Amino acid sequence: MTPEHDRSRSPGGRAALSDLLRGHRLALGLTQAELAGRAGVGVRTVRDLERGHATRPQRTTVDLLADALGLTGSARRDFVATARPVPAAAPPTAPVEADPGTPVALPQPVPLLGRDRDVAEVTALLDAHPVVSLVGLAGVGKTALALTVAHAVAARHPGGVVGVLVGDGSDAADVLAASVAVFGVSRLADLPCRLAGRPALLLVDAVERAPGPVAEAVRTLTAAAPTVRILATGRRPVGLPGELVRPVAPLDVPPAGAEPADRADLDRWPAAALFAARFTQARHAPPAPAELPALAALVRRLGGLPLAIELMAARGRILDVPELLDRYGDRVLDLAGGRPGWAPADPVAGTVTLREAVATSYHLLAPAERAALRRLSAFRNRWSVALAEELLADGDDRWDAVPLLDRLSELGLLSVRGTGPFRFRLLDAVRDFAAEQADLAGETAAIRLRHASVIAALVRRTAPGLVGADLPGTVHLLDEATGDIIAALAYAAEEAPATALLLAAALPRWWRLRGRDVSGRRWLRRLLADPRTADARPVLRAWALLGSARLAAEHGAGPEELPAAQAALAVFAEVGDVTGELSARSVLCAVLRGLGAHDEARAQAEAALTLATRHGRVREMAVAQHHLTWHDVRVGELADARRRLATVDRLAAQCGDQRLRLLARADLAELARLEGRYAEAVEQGRRAASALVELGDPGRRRRAIGTVGLALALQGRDDEALAVVTELWPSGPVPGPRRAPAVERWEPAGTSRDAHTEDALRALIEGQVALHRGDRELAAEWFAAAAEAAAGGADRRDLVEALVGLAASTGDPAVLDRLDRARQITGVNLLPREEELLYALAAQRRRPGRT
């Protein structure tokens, strides 16, 4: 039996769709996978159609396959007729009287989440424009929004609020006849008499099924009955003069990195609220608190598309949310479901995947627009017009990206949020589909390399703003580009390490501010060790070496990078790079101080101050003075330190560096505590800590909070001091009987100097509280723990303070010997308060009867 004999034939003698599809595919020499890739549909869709398992696919799928097969003219018409023998447009239901004289031939709308602003805007647009088109991807909620708006404006349209659903293969006469019929007349000529000058509204759904006929029918209808307003929905506009195109965006999703605190926090985002509601219906139980982070991540992957959310939530009958994320998070394009609409479901219609929904809009683009969309798929987060134009540029040929972005927005492929420059973003499903198409076209490597170069250029021109008055805005911009920075760095490190080194060398200050010093240093060390970067410009390698040292100083590995910082200084000095030399000396101050080489550290700070003064570098003068302040504190010259901090504040204000001013004020709080002015220390420390939250410097903020806690403890305000401990260490002990378990409490959570410093601060506060309460045994445990932590911290004065407290708690001569050795190594002089405490201890030991 030949293959033809084993196939059914459709009515009228036409070949079955399975035969037709397979014949066209084989004629082009394509495999099923190659045809699926060309069309943007799943391989399973092609396979099922050729096997006869699916006999009536969606019109979307038919059009995509016809395009991929290159069918035109009668061949295309025969293919479409075989696949979709569907009647023309017709009114879905009979008119229903909502109010006397106001027929509403539409079903009741479903409750919408997060669409209040959309409803209000579209309602207002209908008052100003005769034709309003809601456009967007399949499943974004165009029809649901249109139904809600139609019912909302029914009272303002006494002539009637009715609708038609455009059918596949409709012509202008079909659409016009159906439109007239829903108003209750049989001829267009009778419609003006029927309306009698009263406003009316016609909802035209699924314009993309017959855009030309719809445009012709609407033009004829509105010319004959000018009081009829048109509200259209589709994946493309109607295309009439005076038409107002209003894209329908997906629902808002929780931003990346946002961890929902509870269900109420999550429900602030309509996409998450919709998923949670539908998931609860499917599982008959709401998402558990532990599932909320996965829920936020999942709706981000779904792009806020209501159809995708509904389909994914339905799987909650079988899987919990983390399982859904693990199983489907990378396969959202394959989610399938019937076309959402307001007409009765077609029982024999197939399913449409998100891939097919996106593919339909993709194929509405011109070839150059498709190529541009494939390039834009490289972006991982929001981007600006300027950044898009850089990515799309070919050599000296520049793109005007505005018309392209307008077209992508018009078709619902592009999300536009906010008012800043970084407000454009491809929907995740669109980006995934475009990336697939780039793979099929063999463009991915070139696109990713271009993306890495563009992001490297962005960071290089932005990074200078990480010092000075532009710091907050610069940090925010780099935060916006985090996903793209990570993607660009990862790809370039493998394929273009010179580009990766250029990118990484500009990032250390941002990495430090965002607590990524360990991972950032790892990137720099890897790239510097790559033999492919050996011939990079010496100054670029010097900046990379210096960045590695800067980051190492943040987590206690500064001594390992001392040669790197010294080598960088030598390069900068040799080429006369003043900015580089000043930066290198500043980093060496921190590294040498951590090594205990105090005189060398002070010499570097003084050399930096001289160089900065000679070249009029006000900010660098302030930085050098700030370094020298610590040396004044170390030797106990607190008055000199206070004067120097006032100079830092003045210079920082002069150059507009808010961060330096805040650091100086945080240090003034610490200085007030050391001077015994505890109330002043609490007030200034709290102000500085609050300001540092917005600045985004977590390590400095925690140090300021620690200063407040110690001042409160030394003032005898025990409960307030312990509340600070809870703030520094939320998972720590609660009020009540307090002990310091030697192993559990002091097993370090990390190796960073910040971690050691925080541990020392917590233990110092606890020790001072215990000492104030007369519990010397407990105080000794805490001060011993503080000394252990401070030995690995950045501030060796904490070590001296801990040993003074331990000596006061125990009276042990061995502790005094340890204190003397620590003072000799660190060069830290005792403050008057500490000398008085130890003198009192010595006098107590000399009393008769004490040994």
Side-chain angles (χ1 to χ4, degrees), residues 27-90:
L28 293 174
L30 299 174
T31 65
Q32 290 179 339
E34 288 170 340
L35 176 58
R38 279 192 180 189
V41 302
V43 177
R44 182 176 178 180
T45 299
V46 177
R47 186 183 305 122
D48 287 350
L49 287 170
E50 290 196 359
R51 289 177 177 176
H53 295 167
T55 59
R56 196 164 182 276
Q58 286 283 333
R59 177 60 187 263
T60 296
T61 306
V62 175
D63 287 339
L64 294 174
L65 289 171
D67 289 341
L69 292 168
L71 300 180
T72 58
S74 61
R76 185 183 185 100
R77 287 194 295 274
D78 185 53
F79 183 77
V80 172
T82 300
R84 296 287 298 171
V86 189

Side-chain angles (χ1 to χ4, degrees), residues 81 100 184 198 259 322 372 501 514 546 651 703 739 751 765 817:
R198 294 176 300 172
E259 290 294 331
L501 184 65
R514 287 298 176 250
L546 187 62
L651 293 173
R703 179 78 212 193
R739 287 291 181 264
T751 58
I765 296 170
D817 292 340

